[in-house]
Amino acid sequence: MSTDIEIAQQANMQRITQLAKEKLGIDDEYLEPYGHYKAKISLDYIESLADRPDGKLILVTAISPTPAGEGKTTTTVGLGDALNLIGKKASICLREPSLGPVFGMKGGAAGGGHAQVVPMEDINLHFTGDFGAIGLAHNLLSAMIDNHIHHGNELGFDIRRIAWKRVVDMNDRALRDIVVGLGGVGNGFPRQDGFDIVVASEIMAIFCLATSIKDLKERLGKIVVGYTREQKPILAADLHAHGAMAVLLKNALQPNLVQTLENNPAFIHGGPFANIAHGCNSVLATKTALKLSDYVVTEAGFGADLGAEKFVDIKCRKSGLRPQAAVIVATIRALKYHGGADLKELNTENLAALADGIANLERHVNNIRNHFGLPCIVAINHFTFDTDAEIDLLKKKLAHHEAPVVVCRHWAEGGKGAVDLARTVVDLIDKTPSDFRFVYEDDATLWDKVTAIAKKLYGASEVTADLKIRNQIKKLQDAGYGHYPVCIAKTQYSFSTDQKLRGAPSGHEINIREVRLAAGAEFIVLVCGDVMTMPGLPKVPSAVKIDLDEQGKVVGLF
Amino acid sequence: MSTDIEIAQQANMQRITQLAKEKLGIDDEYLEPYGHYKAKISLDYIESLADRPDGKLILVTAISPTPAGEGKTTTTVGLGDALNLIGKKASICLREPSLGPVFGMKGGAAGGGHAQVVPMEDINLHFTGDFGAIGLAHNLLSAMIDNHIHHGNELGFDIRRIAWKRVVDMNDRALRDIVVGLGGVGNGFPRQDGFDIVVASEIMAIFCLATSIKDLKERLGKIVVGYTREQKPILAADLHAHGAMAVLLKNALQPNLVQTLENNPAFIHGGPFANIAHGCNSVLATKTALKLSDYVVTEAGFGADLGAEKFVDIKCRKSGLRPQAAVIVATIRALKYHGGADLKELNTENLAALADGIANLERHVNNIRNHFGLPCIVAINHFTFDTDAEIDLLKKKLAHHEAPVVVCRHWAEGGKGAVDLARTVVDLIDKTPSDFRFVYEDDATLWDKVTAIAKKLYGASEVTADLKIRNQIKKLQDAGYGHYPVCIAKTQYSFSTDQKLRGAPSGHEINIREVRLAAGAEFIVLVCGDVMTMPGLPKVPSAVKIDLDEQGKVVGLF
């Protein structure tokens, strides 16, 4: 059997200028090519599309993730290709992969099997340099903070209250917790600091929510980088850093265009963390795709409790985007795992475990239909070991939910393996008007917002927090940040904050442990559990297997 | 008067695919475009040129740098354009600028006035992402070192003897001296560490000396990253890191092609420090340019004592490149400064100071003619305030040196301001065969190598070092590194190690304070003075003036 990279390297790619012209009607002069198979689309061109009608937006989300794998990106690619196969003009929108996982754990972010985006190596490595630009903009601001303090600290930073770390696009645990400014007077003031991975940078979130270069620059200026001794916030604009940061991000902000294995357009742009940020590709890419296609398929990070919620309550709320339907990806294997089956026994038929595990899927279906008001389709990403009895059981259990269940084989067959799914999606959108709504309104308090999410979506009985945290939330509310959406960072593996509670737990408590203001991204992060913003490498990182062969071809990437 | 960026933004650029085809005969399929005005040239194509004859190589170097500025890059651009104006097929080869100076001190690295390379903003910002790739390859290796130690340290790293720091492409003094791995068991072992700027990375030097992707990977594997308690070296290859590092550098290794304001080809690729490294653009770019042009003009860092020496003894020695002539750039202003004139009074005629300062130029001319065996031309980069009497004096003083003196006005006039220089260079190359030679031979000892440079080129009376340093040098000699060239890191402002000693000091002592093995780059760095591998930002960094205007155009860059 071919590996993902072997399939990708055999792809018959179209020149991106040709694809852009034929599939999207974009002239060469509005493209910035990066090699022959990647391009950025000019912001001027995007502005010129303003009066065109929008296509229909389909969100691909998933059950709570498991080690068994669900295949959300693969399904997004497969559905996009299938829509094109049935004669629809469709594009997909994905996030850019981070280098951390590429060199850490084996696992691609460009789809898999016969449902991939290409050129796969480029997309998984530097791509068009967006993450590099975001990292530099971030670290410029960091350098300007310590430089300001070194040269007299006119703004009065309290060096115990710097709220801006540094970033690198690498899994490097040794940089999580460091002391900088050692070595004497010439090197500044010693203080505690740390590095996050680039995808965890607030700039990544800002980049993905910005609607124009002007909006980007304004948001950058609003970033709170630290506080004075009197706890007065100091902004990036106070350092006059935001102009130069916007200059560094200017080219990166242009959405990237690549293609699927079946030569259909794929916009891959931005990739914020799905816990401390909102986990969706850029607003600009999604809006551009909608102007150029009749159907746009996009995905959100993690399961629907985190990813779809943030897609709705942060990305759509802020941008005016409105999805017409949602696809929930599940696998029989993962559902059995949610029902208590052991990871090693997922290839064996187990109707009892499946019956129990379906509760996780049902909760997500209910959330999407009842709380987001979206028509919903369940896509079963098919594995060879799935039995007919298992699939029948699943369909039976879902029958009363008004959410069609479709078995898909895009991993093995490409777009034609998802034609049923594509037909079902189109049909559902045609027949079922969406009744799209947010989980909470802007004017609810921050506390009420998190409570609404916890009770409605997570099945929790209450939200709790220490007095210190409650005071912080109240302070932000009083300081005029109460109208911001909340961004909940919790484990993706459970509806609760305990990653071992699979299935559909109820009546649990959601405890807020930390509050972070993302003033540039315009949301409040509520951390409910351990959140790792700088991963580490495993004992044998995948980097040791990644190599160039004698012909200079990349091997071992996936 | 227009600023550099205003002149650059008014440039009438040719599409890079068209320029590559018309000026160099490169077909579209061998180019990886990065936007419409930048491209990388495929390594397969470069290999296919192997049997073509080489053009003539001209090195542009300078007197010892002064705060008055000399204009080496500007002269390289001007000479390239002038050679094209007089009907020669000429290209230029330059180093890529580092972001550090861009956001720190005002000062471009893409020429100036009417002798610039474009697109200037892109070249000075991310360009084609090469520095980003080099930084990531460096930091992947760093992460793999600490990760290896964290997971059991099978190779037996002595954490007091890690020889590999981390890098960022930013002037950030707070990162010079840090402690990493704090925060508990999960974050690894606390140890001292630090960040260098990307251009100071050994990978940058390796990148610029590599002759193929295979050579690059082998050199990466040879990097010494640390030592065991028994002081046995541990290599990047021992960590199996070099394959993945080569994958990260694969695209970057393709030389970059852009153009001058006058639409002539410019190869801009790589940019190692000129103190702890050799300070020249990549071997691959220079070799490619020579296959595609009749004349290639390139520059080396700092003055001729450092830059030209390393160009000859490191870059040419290792690559087989052989220059036909050298151009030494000087200004009347800078020569007056070398003769003791005050920085504020350089616009006033001062024949006495000039007469004294010319000694600096004469030493460089003698070195180039006698020790490198190269025909030599003096290019006077003209300033409005230069008087006829000053220029006459200079010509008179140089008359017995067999080094023609040519006044150039390329900054104000572009290529036509350097036509006299171009004619003189062509004429000299035609009439004077070069007698190219190295300052020392491979089989001289490391100590004899540095002594040869110090005595022959610097006018020093002796080389000294503490016993500890002499033992280190002896140890490297005994360990089989004696055949490597030496790379001397000292102040660029003086032939001595005292930056205040202008002109042409003699009889001084060169004291070696530190020895560093660059086993992948294949040279031994001998540090003779303070060397800053991580600059800091000034009180008001130029970043605060760099911005986007209402139309989204970059302003304040230079």
Side-chain angles (χ1 to χ4, degrees), chain B residues 7 37 53 97 111 141 157 203 214-215 268 313 337 371 395 414 454 507:
Chain B
I7 294 172
Y37 305 105
L141 183 52
F157 276 99
I203 296 182
K214 191 164 167 285
D215 181 38
I268 305 191
D313 282 321
Y337 181 80
H371 299 301
K395 287 188 172 170

Side-chain angles (χ1 to χ4, degrees), chain A residues 313-483:
Chain A
D313 281 321
I314 299 177
K315 183 173 176 180
C316 292
R317 183 193 302 268
K318 297 301 216 148
S319 63
L321 288 166
R322 295 296 177 261
Q324 267 73 33
V327 173
I328 304 187
V329 181
T331 60
I332 297 288
R333 290 162 52 87
L335 290 172
K336 288 190 280 192
Y337 182 79
H338 270 299
D342 192 90
L343 196 55
K344 289 178 201 119
E345 289 169 5
L346 298 182
N347 293 342
T348 316
E349 184 176 274
N350 185 341
L351 295 171
L354 178 62
D356 284 350
I358 287 172
N360 184 274
L361 173 60
E362 287 184 284
R363 169 88 54 87
H364 288 298
V365 169
N366 283 333
N367 286 345
I368 285 173
R369 289 182 31 81
N370 301 335
H371 299 301
F372 308 148
L374 290 175
C376 176
I377 303 100
V378 174
I380 300 300
N381 187 11
H382 184 264
F383 276 70
T384 322
F385 301 101
D386 300 349
T387 68
D388 290 345
E390 287 174 328
I391 292 171
D392 285 347
L393 173 65
L394 175 62
K395 288 189 173 172
K396 204 172 300 166
K397 290 274 263 179
L398 267 286
H400 67 286
H401 281 286
E402 293 180 51
V405 176
V406 187
V407 176
C408 310
R409 292 181 167 80
H410 43 271
W411 186 86
E413 300 174 12
K416 79 173 167 1
V419 159
D420 283 354
L421 177 64
R423 289 219 170 90
T424 308
V425 167
V426 168
D427 192 54
L428 194 70
I429 290 177
D430 285 349
K431 291 188 184 147
T432 321
S434 107
D435 179 27
F436 180 78
R437 53 189 178 270
F438 305 117
V439 177
Y440 53 80
E441 295 308 316
D442 285 355
D443 57 5
T445 64
L446 295 170
W447 189 266
D448 287 348
K449 286 171 181 168
V450 58
T451 304
I453 296 169
K455 291 192 173 174
K456 289 185 194 175
L457 304 188
Y458 302 166
S461 58
E462 62 172 337
V463 175
T464 59
D466 286 350
L467 183 62
K468 186 183 153 201
I469 299 293
R470 278 180 284 146
N471 282 343
Q472 281 177 16
I473 294 174
K474 189 171 176 303
K475 214 167 145 184
L476 287 171
Q477 184 78 41
D478 295 344
Y481 295 114
H483 63 292

Side-chain angles (χ1 to χ4, degrees), chain B residues 211-492:
Chain B
T211 50
S212 67
I213 191 83
K214 191 164 167 285
D215 181 38
L216 176 78
K217 189 177 137 186
E218 280 171 14
R219 286 168 174 270
L220 293 171
K222 291 197 298 182
I223 294 171
V224 173
V225 294
Y227 298 86
T228 64
R229 271 177 173 267
E230 295 73 35
Q231 301 196 37
K232 191 178 148 284
I234 301 173
L235 312 185
D238 296 329
L239 288 164
H240 305 289
H242 57 312
M245 291 164 73
V247 166
L248 278 170
L249 295 168
K250 181 178 178 278
N251 290 348
L253 194 64
Q254 304 173 113
N256 302 307
L257 180 66
V258 288
Q259 62 192 289
T260 67
L261 289 175
E262 301 183 9
N263 311 122
N264 294 311
F267 295 79
I268 305 191
H269 196 222
F273 254 26
N275 45 34
I276 56 135
H278 63 291
C280 310
N281 72 281
S282 78
V283 164
L284 266 170
T286 308
K287 288 198 160 180
T288 305
L290 284 168
K291 293 293 179 193
L292 298 170
S293 328
D294 295 329
Y295 290 85
V296 173
V297 188
T298 189
E299 61 164 1
F302 296 156
D305 53 332
L306 285 166
E309 189 272 317
K310 292 173 185 180
F311 173 81
V312 165
D313 282 321
I314 299 177
K315 183 173 176 179
C316 292
R317 183 191 302 266
K318 294 303 216 149
S319 62
L321 288 166
R322 295 295 177 261
Q324 267 71 34
V327 174
I328 302 188
V329 181
T331 61
I332 297 289
R333 291 161 52 88
L335 289 171
K336 287 190 281 193
Y337 181 80
H338 270 299
D342 191 272
L343 195 56
K344 290 181 201 115
E345 289 168 6
L346 297 182
N347 294 342
T348 317
E349 185 177 272
N350 186 340
L351 295 171
L354 179 62
D356 284 350
I358 287 171
N360 184 273
L361 173 59
E362 287 183 284
R363 168 87 56 88
H364 288 298
V365 169
N366 284 334
N367 286 345
I368 285 173
R369 288 181 33 80
N370 302 337
H371 299 301
F372 306 148
L374 290 175
C376 176
I377 303 102
V378 175
I380 301 300
N381 187 11
H382 183 264
F383 276 71
T384 322
F385 300 102
D386 299 349
T387 68
D388 289 346
E390 287 175 327
I391 291 171
D392 286 347
L393 174 65
L394 175 63
K395 287 188 172 170
K396 205 172 298 165
K397 291 272 264 181
L398 267 287
H400 67 287
H401 280 287
E402 294 180 49
V405 177
V406 187
V407 176
C408 311
R409 291 179 167 81
H410 44 270
W411 186 87
E413 299 175 11
K416 77 173 169 357
V419 159
D420 283 354
L421 177 64
R423 289 220 169 88
T424 310
V425 167
V426 169
D427 193 52
L428 194 71
I429 290 177
D430 285 349
K431 290 186 186 147
T432 321
S434 106
D435 179 27
F436 180 78
R437 54 188 177 270
F438 304 118
V439 177
Y440 52 81
E441 295 307 318
D442 284 356
D443 57 5
T445 64
L446 294 170
W447 189 266
D448 287 347
K449 286 171 182 171
V450 58
T451 304
I453 296 170
K455 291 193 172 172
K456 290 185 192 175
L457 304 187
Y458 302 166
S461 60
E462 62 171 337
V463 175
T464 59
D466 287 349
L467 183 61
K468 186 182 152 201
I469 300 293
R470 278 181 283 145
N471 283 342
Q472 281 177 16
I473 294 173
K474 189 169 175 305
K475 213 166 144 184
L476 287 172
Q477 185 77 40
D478 295 344
Y481 295 114
H483 63 292
Y484 279 4
V486 295
C487 180
I488 299 182
K490 70 160 184 66
T491 178
Q492 66 265 38

Side-chain angles (χ1 to χ4, degrees), chain B residues 29-175:
Chain B
E29 61 183 297
Y30 300 119
L31 290 178
E32 290 260 308
Y34 281 70
H36 297 300
Y37 305 105
K38 297 163 285 177
K40 284 189 165 283
I41 302 173
S42 100
L43 297 180
D44 288 344
Y45 175 72
I46 293 172
E47 256 180 55
S48 78
L49 304 172
D51 293 336
R52 291 202 195 175
D54 287 321
K56 295 183 166 62
L57 182 58
I58 301 155
L59 173 69
V60 175
T61 181
I63 59 170
S64 304
T66 74
E70 291 70 46
K72 203 167 47 191
T73 305
T74 309
T75 303
T76 305
V77 177
L79 176 55
D81 282 338
L83 284 165
N84 278 288
L85 274 183
I86 64 170
K88 305 295 179 188
K89 206 174 140 187
S91 299
I92 61 170
C93 287
L94 298 173
R95 287 165 294 164
E96 299 182 50
S98 163
L99 276 175
V102 169
F103 292 117
M105 299 290 207
K106 192 176 155 76
H114 292 272
Q116 291 189 57
V117 280
V118 281
M120 182 263 220
E121 303 101 303
D122 292 19
I123 294 168
N124 275 301
L125 294 169
H126 311 290
F127 199 21
T128 56
D130 295 343
F131 284 21
I134 290 166
L136 283 168
H138 186 116
N139 289 334
L140 172 62
L141 183 52
S142 312
M144 287 176 80
I145 294 166
D146 281 300
N147 188 60
H148 178 87
I149 296 166
H150 177 71
H151 285 296
N153 197 11
E154 272 175 50
L155 292 169
F157 276 99
D158 180 343
I159 65 169
R160 303 163 307 178
R161 292 191 172 101
I162 307 290
W164 191 252
K165 299 207 278 187
R166 289 171 164 86
V167 294
V168 65
D169 198 14
M170 200 55 71
N171 286 4
D172 194 348
R173 70 171 64 73
L175 292 177

